[in-house]
Amino acid sequence: MKAKKIGEQVDIKSPFHLFPQVLLLVFAEDLECIPGFQQKVFHIEQPSEFTEDQPILNLVFDDCKGNDKLNFEVSNPDFKVEPNGSLVALKNITEAGRALFIHARSAQAEDMAEVLIVGGKDHHGSLKEIFKIEDGSLGILRQKRAIVATPILIPENQRPPFPRAVGRVIDSDGTEGSKFRLSGKGVDQEPKGAFKINENTGEISVTRSLDREAIPTYQLQVEITDVSGKSIEGPVLLDIIVIDQNDNRPIFREGPYVGHVMEGSPTGSTVMRMMAFDADDPGTDNALLRYNILKQTPDKPSPNMFFIDPEKGDIVTVVSPALLDRETMENPKYELIIEAKDMAGLDVGLTGTATATIVIDDKNDHPPEFTKKEFQATVKEGGTGVIMNLSVEDRDDPATGAWRAVYTIINGNPGQSFEIHTNPKTNEGMLSVVKPLDYEISAFHTLLIKVENEEPLVPDIAYGPSSTATVQITVLDVNEGPVFHPDPMTVTKQENIPIGSVVLTVSATDPDTLQHQTIRYSVYKDPAGWLEINPTNGTIFTTAVLDRESPYVHNNVYTALFQAIDSGNPPATGTGTLQITLEDVNDNAPTIYPTLAKVCDDAKDLKVVVLGASDKDLHPNTDPFKFELSKQSGPDKVWKITKINNTHAQVSLLQNLKKANYNIPILVTDSGKPPLTNNTELKVQVCSCKKSKMDCSAADALHISMILILLFSLFSLFCL
């Protein structure tokens, strides 16, 4: 076979006007047969119509082995290649896009050719646009000096054997002894070794199957070197374009897919969108998806409740609003098996499926209704808590605002004795007594209660008479305990009043006014045991002396509890509190502290101790206190006591004493009327002090003036 030279015109027999210039992309200078299309790129003008079965152009494919089992595939399914190589349309077509790709495969070889349609719309996409090839790089030889490198098209996923020839670069000068050298990504860069070149002939071979989804294009560099390996021409770019095959199924990557539509929605309401992904070339039909519903579960009330837009994937309702009634459905949840198919939905396309769950949402189109118009309840007087549950029915979706009930007492509750709340689990109204009821005031109550939903009803629905109910409540009489008036009862008494004195007469009344009962009184709690009560008239009197200073008295108040018991069957008891405020009298003499003091026998500071006084009584029966010593005379006058303030005095020595123990009588008197005096002995130890150590262990016998003792005794007798 003899090919035309570069730039020579080629006349293609076709019913259409072709470009006057058609470039041959395969160069052969009487070389051996090169497998593949003998012409790989064609240009034709877009006709007004491609006529069915009318030849468009002739394709020549030769695998150099007789073309055994030769098959052609066209990228547009509206075209085919006849066994004789004629490209024809399968039907009358006005638009075929900008390019057609023809894939030829025999038992020995395979190749790709491209028909560029001038004036065609971008429907399927030309090879140049699909692979983002720069203007002028496709169908036009790249040439620098003597190197001619045409783009090479290789289908992905080719089957062995490898390596296989895919194209050739040409040295138009044919310098003697020159060699071809190939470099770039796919040769000496990762992925290394995918392509190689015959250094003598310029034939390009692929060594393994390619994956367009991994690498769609390769840009290699071709150089011509001399015998020493020095570059003498180039480098020139060589584009290798991987042609997409339909080897990826559509997949749904964003599940789970759940959509919601309100019941009663109009026909055509959009529910959700299903979008699948196809890793194939988006500019070809290999990734052109169409959607379809394979199955609907359940299939009632209609087996075709929904429709999916085959191109966009939008799922819409196709039944009337009356059929989209949640309350009449067996199950308000539908599962759709959605299929996505590539190749624009043709039978040859690959498919992927996913499940779409569609929930029919409830709207409040059913008001709650009481199961009865009138409810009955009984409650004991004085009790509180839930007395009954009011039941309602609502056909809306449970656990939604369209189902949840809200109860309101609209009449019969002026004293706010009743409240009603919703049980969140059962939706029942729990009617409670929050303020105790009194049988003697009212034995019957009638409540009017209404029920509504949390959410408002739809505009064409209203609450009817069944959304209100009457509750008849009967109050049961119980024997209530007597009640003291007032409670607590208070009285003020002076402490130390005579035993048998009347403290107070208490009174209790029986709330059961319709029952004629008698009341008896008793002491319930008397901590000090000071009181008694007359069981019939309630008079309280003393059985012991009331002592304000007793530990049972707190803040001058003594508290006791009394019971009133009625004659009911069984009897009922009421408890009352008595608080006695005790007024103070001067019945406690003051005491002094401390009662022991120590001093050195050679002390320069003769101050012995500061005495303090305290009194259990209250003012004015306490301080100011008066401190005194018995009168001293003669050589024994050695002590002195001096007032510091209302509660303290200083005891001092008038001279140093010998080491001994001394007992000093101290008189302390309060300010009460009449005053009380306490006689207390202050023990003073005179000790030897050496080197800052006090030794009191060897004190002499007790020294005390006989005159001082006599005076102290006389003073005490006088005070008594």
Side-chain angles (χ1 to χ4, degrees), residues 4 8-14 16-24 39 42 57-58:
K4 297 287 184 179
E8 189 172 343
Q9 294 185 0
V10 178
D11 184 18
I12 300 176
K13 302 300 181 181
S14 170
F16 307 104
H17 296 290
L18 306 180
F19 272 14
Q21 298 291 330
V22 178
L23 297 179
L24 295 178
Q39 180 174 331
F42 300 87
L57 56 80
N58 291 323

Side-chain angles (χ1 to χ4, degrees), residues 394-465:
D394 194 319
R395 291 193 291 164
D396 291 314
D397 183 16
T400 66
W403 176 82
R404 288 190 291 268
V406 178
Y407 297 87
T408 307
I409 302 173
I410 59 177
N411 196 13
N413 190 29
Q416 305 300 311
S417 298
F418 301 93
E419 286 184 358
I420 187 166
H421 300 281
T422 304
N423 186 320
K425 295 181 179 179
T426 65
N427 215 29
E428 293 178 327
M430 300 182 295
L431 181 61
S432 303
V433 176
V434 294
K435 293 182 180 179
L437 303 176
D438 192 339
Y439 171 84
E440 284 70 30
I441 296 177
S442 178
F444 299 97
H445 296 268
T446 300
L447 305 180
L448 183 61
I449 297 176
K450 72 174 181 179
V451 61
E452 299 173 306
N453 289 130
E454 284 186 1
E455 293 182 0
L457 293 172
V458 295
D460 54 339
I461 303 295
Y463 292 104

